[in-house]
Amino acid sequence: MNNYAKLVYEGLKKESPWEKEFLQSVFEVFDSLGPLLDSNAKYEKYRILERMAVPERVILFQVPWVDAKGQIQLNRGYRIQFNSAIGPYKGGLRFHPSVNLSILKFLGFEQIFKNSLTTLPMGGGKGGSNFDPKGKSDIEVMNFCQSFMRELQRHIGPDTDVPAGDIGVGAREIGYLYGMYKKIRNAHESVLTGKSLNYGGSLIRPEATGYGNVYFAIEMLKTRRTDFDNRRVMISGSGNVAQYTAWKIINEGGKVITMSDSNGTILCEEGLTHEKLEFIMDLKNVQRKRIKEAAAKFSDLKYFEGQKPWRLAKADAALPSATENELDLKDAEALVKGGCICVSEGANMPTTPDAVEYLLANNVLFGPGKAANAGGVATSGLEMTQNAMRLNWTSEEVDHKLRGIMSCIHSACRDAAEEFGDHDNYVLGANVAGFRKVADAMIELGV
Ligand code: NDP
Ligand code: 2IT
């Protein structure tokens, strides 16, 4: 690592050694920036790394709410307004019991570079709560969301900070959050994305992260003159990102052989059909049940309790789409042994650092999340544009723009990586290309 980057990283580590996920994401970015920092003294002169690694603002608040039994519950609410150099803070909200400052800081930090890569004017932010929507009734989720927004509303706005969904925050939660914002502020404005079509959402936004990841992976595969046709593909997760990744892979002629949730994995050697996937989508989105129920319904699905997909079968490609650090070194070794040629991250930081290193060393095409899953936030940017123009594009128009953006991100990564002599290293490319725009904007904007 470059000396300046090392010094800043060590400082962060000393300050909060318990922020493991945040430090992991900082290390990856700083490690990639070595050659750029070596040849550009201005970044150290303007202390860009220090300024980028400390959020511009952290908001922490209490979220009291009343459950179905009439008892008072209390959760923590957060919004990290990380960097606004190139546009209003933009990034999702995560509702999951594991949420803490380290996780939200890692997600917010990643978001800075991801949003920069989209080429749209969006800064980096992230937020959420340790609230667990699982097992809660719709009314309880509404009570929680309304309380969360009663506080959050004073910190956000269409030109200030525009949240969206992430784990545990989908169309239902966005609806309750937006409804409360509108009541308090008496304004219908583009303050959240991922809205339903009935009140200002964009076509293709639900599909965008998954579709975008497949478009990115297709671009990577093209460089090796191949595609997804007849390829065996492992997907983890069965939420928003995983579902539309699977849908698009099937469209591309690929075989989706796994999906999972936090309890276990289903394996389908023949590949899921759209019909089976529709059943899984209803199971997860409407019935809000566990994925093992799909194996109870279809005899060609096998269920593996407590297992992740990666070591269950051989696959040509893996698209991790559940959560951070879900694909480790042993998983990577099993994937390479099974002939895997491409890993593209639908989730944020799903691959552990040693696994990334192993995949790169074994010539596997590796698409890092900040590039590969940027289609979600890019389409959020397109939702903001449509809201500002007060008109809606067709799904073909949005999909076309999404495809174009993913292709541009792919080229930007390759070009930046090539500049430093390693054209297949998308980690290097994504970090350099994402960083440079934000860093130069910070210098131009003054201290
Ligand atoms: P969802 O809540 O819709 O789905 C999450 C899926 O991941 C579920 O299947 C869930 O299983 C599983 N999961 C969550 N936490 C864990 C865990 N700790 N261990 C094992 N499985 C887990 O979220 P999304 O699909 O929106 O998000 C998935 C990933 O994609 C996240 O990393 C998110 O940050 C990232 N992402 C999302 C974008 C978006 O637009 N939504 C954009 C870019 C990235 P279970 O149901 O059992 O909890
Ligand atoms: O991680 C992500 O990029 C998201 N959860 C989507 C953020 C957004 O603002 O659409």
Side-chain angles (χ1 to χ4, degrees), residues 228-265:
F228 277 116
D229 194 31
N230 247 332
R231 294 278 189 193
R232 288 162 60 85
V233 181
M234 282 181 173
I235 294 173
S236 62
S238 49
N240 171 268
V241 179
Q243 291 170 12
Y244 290 103
T245 304
W247 193 271
K248 188 52 101 181
I249 288 290
I250 301 171
N251 285 351
E252 293 295 318
K255 287 185 178 169
V256 174
I257 60 168
T258 64
M259 289 184 82
S260 66
D261 62 20
S262 53
N263 292 92
T265 297

mmCIF file of all heavy atoms in Angstrom, residues 228-265:
data_model
loop_
_atom_site.group_PDB
_atom_site.id
_atom_site.type_symbol
_atom_site.label_atom_id
_atom_site.label_comp_id
_atom_site.label_asym_id
_atom_site.label_seq_id
_atom_site.Cartn_x
_atom_site.Cartn_y
_atom_site.Cartn_z
ATOM 1 N N PHE A 228 -23.651 -16.254 -21.275
ATOM 2 C CA PHE A 228 -24.315 -17.081 -20.270
ATOM 3 C C PHE A 228 -25.073 -18.274 -20.864
ATOM 4 O O PHE A 228 -25.623 -19.076 -20.122
ATOM 5 C CB PHE A 228 -25.298 -16.243 -19.439
ATOM 6 C CG PHE A 228 -24.637 -15.500 -18.306
ATOM 7 C CD1 PHE A 228 -24.615 -14.113 -18.279
ATOM 8 C CD2 PHE A 228 -24.040 -16.192 -17.265
ATOM 9 C CE1 PHE A 228 -24.012 -13.435 -17.230
ATOM 10 C CE2 PHE A 228 -23.433 -15.522 -16.210
ATOM 11 C CZ PHE A 228 -23.419 -14.132 -16.199
ATOM 12 N N ASP A 229 -25.113 -18.377 -22.180
ATOM 13 C CA ASP A 229 -25.926 -19.432 -22.789
ATOM 14 C C ASP A 229 -25.487 -20.810 -22.283
ATOM 15 O O ASP A 229 -24.308 -21.163 -22.372
ATOM 16 C CB ASP A 229 -25.812 -19.347 -24.320
ATOM 17 C CG ASP A 229 -26.888 -20.177 -24.975
ATOM 18 O OD1 ASP A 229 -27.982 -20.300 -24.380
ATOM 19 O OD2 ASP A 229 -26.632 -20.735 -26.061
ATOM 20 N N ASN A 230 -26.456 -21.543 -21.734
ATOM 21 C CA ASN A 230 -26.195 -22.899 -21.218
ATOM 22 C C ASN A 230 -25.242 -22.966 -20.032
ATOM 23 O O ASN A 230 -24.824 -24.063 -19.645
ATOM 24 C CB ASN A 230 -25.649 -23.803 -22.323
ATOM 25 C CG ASN A 230 -26.675 -24.866 -22.634
ATOM 26 O OD1 ASN A 230 -27.460 -25.243 -21.759
ATOM 27 N ND2 ASN A 230 -26.679 -25.346 -23.850
ATOM 28 N N ARG A 231 -24.878 -21.820 -19.479
ATOM 29 C CA ARG A 231 -23.950 -21.793 -18.346
ATOM 30 C C ARG A 231 -24.686 -22.120 -17.051
ATOM 31 O O ARG A 231 -25.824 -21.688 -16.853
ATOM 32 C CB ARG A 231 -23.343 -20.395 -18.196
ATOM 33 C CG ARG A 231 -22.457 -19.985 -19.349
ATOM 34 C CD ARG A 231 -21.097 -20.559 -19.175
ATOM 35 N NE ARG A 231 -20.145 -20.026 -20.136
ATOM 36 C CZ ARG A 231 -18.958 -20.574 -20.330
ATOM 37 N NH1 ARG A 231 -18.598 -21.662 -19.666
ATOM 38 N NH2 ARG A 231 -18.133 -20.052 -21.198
ATOM 39 N N ARG A 232 -24.024 -22.836 -16.161
ATOM 40 C CA ARG A 232 -24.585 -23.114 -14.835
ATOM 41 C C ARG A 232 -24.216 -21.955 -13.906
ATOM 42 O O ARG A 232 -23.027 -21.632 -13.757
ATOM 43 C CB ARG A 232 -24.024 -24.425 -14.298
ATOM 44 C CG ARG A 232 -24.565 -25.659 -15.013
ATOM 45 C CD ARG A 232 -23.682 -26.858 -14.755
ATOM 46 N NE ARG A 232 -23.571 -27.193 -13.348
ATOM 47 C CZ ARG A 232 -24.451 -27.953 -12.687
ATOM 48 N NH1 ARG A 232 -25.495 -28.455 -13.319
ATOM 49 N NH2 ARG A 232 -24.285 -28.222 -11.400
ATOM 50 N N VAL A 233 -25.234 -21.328 -13.310
ATOM 51 C CA VAL A 233 -25.002 -20.123 -12.519
ATOM 52 C C VAL A 233 -25.516 -20.311 -11.098
ATOM 53 O O VAL A 233 -26.674 -20.701 -10.893
ATOM 54 C CB VAL A 233 -25.719 -18.904 -13.159
ATOM 55 C CG1 VAL A 233 -25.458 -17.643 -12.343
ATOM 56 C CG2 VAL A 233 -25.266 -18.708 -14.606
ATOM 57 N N MET A 234 -24.663 -20.026 -10.119
ATOM 58 C CA MET A 234 -25.091 -20.058 -8.719
ATOM 59 C C MET A 234 -25.425 -18.644 -8.265
ATOM 60 O O MET A 234 -24.619 -17.720 -8.461
ATOM 61 C CB MET A 234 -23.968 -20.596 -7.847
ATOM 62 C CG MET A 234 -23.823 -22.087 -7.915
ATOM 63 S SD MET A 234 -22.488 -22.534 -6.818
ATOM 64 C CE MET A 234 -22.625 -24.307 -6.895
ATOM 65 N N ILE A 235 -26.583 -18.517 -7.660
ATOM 66 C CA ILE A 235 -26.990 -17.234 -7.090
ATOM 67 C C ILE A 235 -27.231 -17.472 -5.605
ATOM 68 O O ILE A 235 -27.785 -18.516 -5.231
ATOM 69 C CB ILE A 235 -28.276 -16.718 -7.776
ATOM 70 C CG1 ILE A 235 -27.978 -16.386 -9.244
ATOM 71 C CG2 ILE A 235 -28.840 -15.498 -7.056
ATOM 72 C CD1 ILE A 235 -29.224 -16.025 -10.054
ATOM 73 N N SER A 236 -26.793 -16.527 -4.747
ATOM 74 C CA SER A 236 -27.166 -16.611 -3.333
ATOM 75 C C SER A 236 -28.194 -15.535 -3.061
ATOM 76 O O SER A 236 -28.280 -14.544 -3.780
ATOM 77 C CB SER A 236 -25.950 -16.409 -2.437
ATOM 78 O OG SER A 236 -25.423 -15.115 -2.648
ATOM 79 N N GLY A 237 -28.983 -15.740 -1.980
ATOM 80 C CA GLY A 237 -30.060 -14.817 -1.656
ATOM 81 C C GLY A 237 -31.306 -15.174 -2.446
ATOM 82 O O GLY A 237 -31.259 -15.957 -3.424
ATOM 83 N N SER A 238 -32.420 -14.619 -2.003
ATOM 84 C CA SER A 238 -33.679 -14.794 -2.734
ATOM 85 C C SER A 238 -34.524 -13.538 -2.574
ATOM 86 O O SER A 238 -35.734 -13.565 -2.645
ATOM 87 C CB SER A 238 -34.436 -16.021 -2.224
ATOM 88 O OG SER A 238 -34.504 -15.984 -0.808
ATOM 89 N N GLY A 239 -33.834 -12.414 -2.312
ATOM 90 C CA GLY A 239 -34.518 -11.133 -2.168
ATOM 91 C C GLY A 239 -34.550 -10.383 -3.492
ATOM 92 O O GLY A 239 -34.429 -10.984 -4.568
ATOM 93 N N ASN A 240 -34.672 -9.082 -3.394
ATOM 94 C CA ASN A 240 -34.830 -8.257 -4.602
ATOM 95 C C ASN A 240 -33.719 -8.494 -5.627
ATOM 96 O O ASN A 240 -33.986 -8.757 -6.809
ATOM 97 C CB ASN A 240 -34.874 -6.774 -4.187
ATOM 98 C CG ASN A 240 -34.808 -5.853 -5.384
ATOM 99 O OD1 ASN A 240 -33.740 -5.425 -5.803
ATOM 100 N ND2 ASN A 240 -35.945 -5.576 -5.983
ATOM 101 N N VAL A 241 -32.483 -8.412 -5.197
ATOM 102 C CA VAL A 241 -31.368 -8.502 -6.146
ATOM 103 C C VAL A 241 -31.295 -9.911 -6.750
ATOM 104 O O VAL A 241 -31.180 -10.081 -7.970
ATOM 105 C CB VAL A 241 -30.037 -8.110 -5.468
ATOM 106 C CG1 VAL A 241 -28.877 -8.235 -6.445
ATOM 107 C CG2 VAL A 241 -30.120 -6.695 -4.915
ATOM 108 N N ALA A 242 -31.376 -10.925 -5.890
ATOM 109 C CA ALA A 242 -31.257 -12.317 -6.349
ATOM 110 C C ALA A 242 -32.376 -12.670 -7.342
ATOM 111 O O ALA A 242 -32.131 -13.321 -8.363
ATOM 112 C CB ALA A 242 -31.315 -13.255 -5.143
ATOM 113 N N GLN A 243 -33.587 -12.233 -7.057
ATOM 114 C CA GLN A 243 -34.736 -12.605 -7.902
ATOM 115 C C GLN A 243 -34.563 -12.118 -9.339
ATOM 116 O O GLN A 243 -34.754 -12.874 -10.299
ATOM 117 C CB GLN A 243 -36.023 -11.998 -7.330
ATOM 118 C CG GLN A 243 -36.456 -12.601 -6.010
ATOM 119 C CD GLN A 243 -37.589 -11.826 -5.349
ATOM 120 O OE1 GLN A 243 -38.213 -10.952 -5.963
ATOM 121 N NE2 GLN A 243 -37.874 -12.147 -4.091
ATOM 122 N N TYR A 244 -34.181 -10.851 -9.488
ATOM 123 C CA TYR A 244 -34.101 -10.321 -10.863
ATOM 124 C C TYR A 244 -32.791 -10.695 -11.555
ATOM 125 O O TYR A 244 -32.715 -10.686 -12.783
ATOM 126 C CB TYR A 244 -34.375 -8.809 -10.878
ATOM 127 C CG TYR A 244 -35.835 -8.547 -10.576
ATOM 128 C CD1 TYR A 244 -36.251 -8.108 -9.322
ATOM 129 C CD2 TYR A 244 -36.810 -8.827 -11.535
ATOM 130 C CE1 TYR A 244 -37.591 -7.918 -9.029
ATOM 131 C CE2 TYR A 244 -38.151 -8.640 -11.252
ATOM 132 C CZ TYR A 244 -38.545 -8.186 -10.005
ATOM 133 O OH TYR A 244 -39.873 -8.012 -9.726
ATOM 134 N N THR A 245 -31.794 -11.064 -10.758
ATOM 135 C CA THR A 245 -30.591 -11.645 -11.356
ATOM 136 C C THR A 245 -30.971 -12.975 -11.991
ATOM 137 O O THR A 245 -30.624 -13.267 -13.145
ATOM 138 C CB THR A 245 -29.505 -11.863 -10.270
ATOM 139 O OG1 THR A 245 -29.262 -10.629 -9.625
ATOM 140 C CG2 THR A 245 -28.214 -12.387 -10.876
ATOM 141 N N ALA A 246 -31.711 -13.779 -11.214
ATOM 142 C CA ALA A 246 -32.124 -15.097 -11.698
ATOM 143 C C ALA A 246 -33.001 -14.961 -12.941
ATOM 144 O O ALA A 246 -32.824 -15.680 -13.940
ATOM 145 C CB ALA A 246 -32.883 -15.831 -10.592
ATOM 146 N N TRP A 247 -33.933 -14.002 -12.898
ATOM 147 C CA TRP A 247 -34.848 -13.812 -14.030
ATOM 148 C C TRP A 247 -34.062 -13.536 -15.317
ATOM 149 O O TRP A 247 -34.304 -14.128 -16.370
ATOM 150 C CB TRP A 247 -35.806 -12.645 -13.723
ATOM 151 C CG TRP A 247 -36.959 -12.575 -14.677
ATOM 152 C CD1 TRP A 247 -37.007 -11.905 -15.854
ATOM 153 C CD2 TRP A 247 -38.215 -13.255 -14.540
ATOM 154 N NE1 TRP A 247 -38.216 -12.096 -16.460
ATOM 155 C CE2 TRP A 247 -38.980 -12.907 -15.678
ATOM 156 C CE3 TRP A 247 -38.771 -14.088 -13.571
ATOM 157 C CZ2 TRP A 247 -40.281 -13.395 -15.870
ATOM 158 C CZ3 TRP A 247 -40.065 -14.567 -13.759
ATOM 159 C CH2 TRP A 247 -40.801 -14.226 -14.901
ATOM 160 N N LYS A 248 -33.094 -12.625 -15.204
ATOM 161 C CA LYS A 248 -32.325 -12.209 -16.384
ATOM 162 C C LYS A 248 -31.398 -13.329 -16.869
ATOM 163 O O LYS A 248 -31.228 -13.525 -18.081
ATOM 164 C CB LYS A 248 -31.537 -10.935 -16.047
ATOM 165 C CG LYS A 248 -30.845 -10.251 -17.193
ATOM 166 C CD LYS A 248 -31.728 -9.952 -18.379
ATOM 167 C CE LYS A 248 -32.210 -8.556 -18.484
ATOM 168 N NZ LYS A 248 -33.097 -8.267 -19.622
ATOM 169 N N ILE A 249 -30.830 -14.085 -15.930
ATOM 170 C CA ILE A 249 -29.956 -15.198 -16.334
ATOM 171 C C ILE A 249 -30.759 -16.213 -17.154
ATOM 172 O O ILE A 249 -30.287 -16.721 -18.191
ATOM 173 C CB ILE A 249 -29.316 -15.884 -15.094
ATOM 174 C CG1 ILE A 249 -28.255 -14.977 -14.463
ATOM 175 C CG2 ILE A 249 -28.714 -17.243 -15.459
ATOM 176 C CD1 ILE A 249 -26.993 -14.793 -15.272
ATOM 177 N N ILE A 250 -31.980 -16.493 -16.714
ATOM 178 C CA ILE A 250 -32.823 -17.440 -17.468
ATOM 179 C C ILE A 250 -33.119 -16.868 -18.862
ATOM 180 O O ILE A 250 -33.025 -17.569 -19.871
ATOM 181 C CB ILE A 250 -34.130 -17.765 -16.699
ATOM 182 C CG1 ILE A 250 -33.808 -18.379 -15.328
ATOM 183 C CG2 ILE A 250 -35.021 -18.715 -17.511
ATOM 184 C CD1 ILE A 250 -34.999 -18.542 -14.401
ATOM 185 N N ASN A 251 -33.423 -15.569 -18.922
ATOM 186 C CA ASN A 251 -33.636 -14.922 -20.233
ATOM 187 C C ASN A 251 -32.429 -15.086 -21.150
ATOM 188 O O ASN A 251 -32.567 -15.184 -22.372
ATOM 189 C CB ASN A 251 -33.836 -13.400 -20.081
ATOM 190 C CG ASN A 251 -35.206 -13.049 -19.546
ATOM 191 O OD1 ASN A 251 -36.071 -13.902 -19.433
ATOM 192 N ND2 ASN A 251 -35.400 -11.787 -19.189
ATOM 193 N N GLU A 252 -31.252 -15.078 -20.551
ATOM 194 C CA GLU A 252 -30.006 -15.160 -21.336
ATOM 195 C C GLU A 252 -29.635 -16.596 -21.689
ATOM 196 O O GLU A 252 -28.548 -16.845 -22.209
ATOM 197 C CB GLU A 252 -28.844 -14.515 -20.564
ATOM 198 C CG GLU A 252 -28.974 -13.002 -20.375
ATOM 199 C CD GLU A 252 -28.907 -12.237 -21.688
ATOM 200 O OE1 GLU A 252 -28.067 -12.576 -22.530
ATOM 201 O OE2 GLU A 252 -29.717 -11.293 -21.880
ATOM 202 N N GLY A 253 -30.507 -17.549 -21.343
ATOM 203 C CA GLY A 253 -30.242 -18.948 -21.690
ATOM 204 C C GLY A 253 -29.418 -19.693 -20.654
ATOM 205 O O GLY A 253 -29.021 -20.841 -20.871
ATOM 206 N N GLY A 254 -29.143 -19.031 -19.502
ATOM 207 C CA GLY A 254 -28.353 -19.680 -18.453
ATOM 208 C C GLY A 254 -29.223 -20.535 -17.538
ATOM 209 O O GLY A 254 -30.443 -20.437 -17.555
ATOM 210 N N LYS A 255 -28.555 -21.394 -16.766
ATOM 211 C CA LYS A 255 -29.265 -22.256 -15.812
ATOM 212 C C LYS A 255 -28.988 -21.765 -14.401
ATOM 213 O O LYS A 255 -27.850 -21.839 -13.920
ATOM 214 C CB LYS A 255 -28.744 -23.693 -15.923
ATOM 215 C CG LYS A 255 -29.199 -24.403 -17.160
ATOM 216 C CD LYS A 255 -28.741 -25.845 -17.103
ATOM 217 C CE LYS A 255 -29.252 -26.557 -18.350
ATOM 218 N NZ LYS A 255 -28.659 -27.871 -18.518
ATOM 219 N N VAL A 256 -30.045 -21.302 -13.739
ATOM 220 C CA VAL A 256 -29.889 -20.872 -12.342
ATOM 221 C C VAL A 256 -30.012 -22.110 -11.468
ATOM 222 O O VAL A 256 -31.099 -22.677 -11.333
ATOM 223 C CB VAL A 256 -30.975 -19.836 -11.970
ATOM 224 C CG1 VAL A 256 -30.901 -19.499 -10.485
ATOM 225 C CG2 VAL A 256 -30.822 -18.583 -12.819
ATOM 226 N N ILE A 257 -28.889 -22.543 -10.890
ATOM 227 C CA ILE A 257 -28.945 -23.812 -10.159
ATOM 228 C C ILE A 257 -29.100 -23.647 -8.647
ATOM 229 O O ILE A 257 -29.430 -24.603 -7.965
ATOM 230 C CB ILE A 257 -27.742 -24.741 -10.493
ATOM 231 C CG1 ILE A 257 -26.420 -24.074 -10.123
ATOM 232 C CG2 ILE A 257 -27.758 -25.144 -11.958
ATOM 233 C CD1 ILE A 257 -25.245 -25.060 -10.162
ATOM 234 N N THR A 258 -28.851 -22.431 -8.116
ATOM 235 C CA THR A 258 -29.086 -22.236 -6.670
ATOM 236 C C THR A 258 -29.719 -20.883 -6.382
ATOM 237 O O THR A 258 -29.518 -19.905 -7.105
ATOM 238 C CB THR A 258 -27.769 -22.271 -5.842
ATOM 239 O OG1 THR A 258 -26.958 -21.170 -6.239
ATOM 240 C CG2 THR A 258 -27.015 -23.570 -5.997
ATOM 241 N N MET A 259 -30.469 -20.850 -5.272
ATOM 242 C CA MET A 259 -30.869 -19.602 -4.601
ATOM 243 C C MET A 259 -30.877 -19.943 -3.112
ATOM 244 O O MET A 259 -30.878 -21.120 -2.756
ATOM 245 C CB MET A 259 -32.251 -19.126 -5.067
ATOM 246 C CG MET A 259 -32.234 -18.596 -6.493
ATOM 247 S SD MET A 259 -33.816 -17.929 -7.035
ATOM 248 C CE MET A 259 -33.791 -16.273 -6.353
ATOM 249 N N SER A 260 -30.876 -18.907 -2.249
ATOM 250 C CA SER A 260 -30.761 -19.210 -0.820
ATOM 251 C C SER A 260 -31.449 -18.149 0.029
ATOM 252 O O SER A 260 -31.864 -17.106 -0.488
ATOM 253 C CB SER A 260 -29.282 -19.288 -0.429
ATOM 254 O OG SER A 260 -28.679 -18.018 -0.565
ATOM 255 N N ASP A 261 -31.570 -18.418 1.330
ATOM 256 C CA ASP A 261 -31.877 -17.356 2.287
ATOM 257 C C ASP A 261 -31.037 -17.608 3.532
ATOM 258 O O ASP A 261 -30.148 -18.480 3.501
ATOM 259 C CB ASP A 261 -33.391 -17.221 2.569
ATOM 260 C CG ASP A 261 -34.012 -18.455 3.185
ATOM 261 O OD1 ASP A 261 -33.272 -19.286 3.752
ATOM 262 O OD2 ASP A 261 -35.249 -18.591 3.097
ATOM 263 N N SER A 262 -31.295 -16.891 4.610
ATOM 264 C CA SER A 262 -30.398 -17.018 5.759
ATOM 265 C C SER A 262 -30.539 -18.377 6.450
ATOM 266 O O SER A 262 -29.738 -18.702 7.319
ATOM 267 C CB SER A 262 -30.609 -15.872 6.742
ATOM 268 O OG SER A 262 -31.961 -15.765 7.085
ATOM 269 N N ASN A 263 -31.511 -19.179 6.040
ATOM 270 C CA ASN A 263 -31.661 -20.521 6.623
ATOM 271 C C ASN A 263 -31.011 -21.638 5.810
ATOM 272 O O ASN A 263 -30.637 -22.665 6.358
ATOM 273 C CB ASN A 263 -33.144 -20.867 6.821
ATOM 274 C CG ASN A 263 -33.770 -20.007 7.888
ATOM 275 O OD1 ASN A 263 -34.316 -18.963 7.591
ATOM 276 N ND2 ASN A 263 -33.642 -20.398 9.140
ATOM 277 N N GLY A 264 -30.932 -21.473 4.493
ATOM 278 C CA GLY A 264 -30.375 -22.552 3.681
ATOM 279 C C GLY A 264 -30.468 -22.274 2.189
ATOM 280 O O GLY A 264 -30.851 -21.179 1.767
ATOM 281 N N THR A 265 -30.112 -23.307 1.406
ATOM 282 C CA THR A 265 -29.999 -23.146 -0.062
ATOM 283 C C THR A 265 -30.842 -24.186 -0.789
ATOM 284 O O THR A 265 -30.895 -25.350 -0.376
ATOM 285 C CB THR A 265 -28.522 -23.319 -0.480
ATOM 286 O OG1 THR A 265 -27.753 -22.283 0.124
ATOM 287 C CG2 THR A 265 -28.336 -23.256 -1.990
#
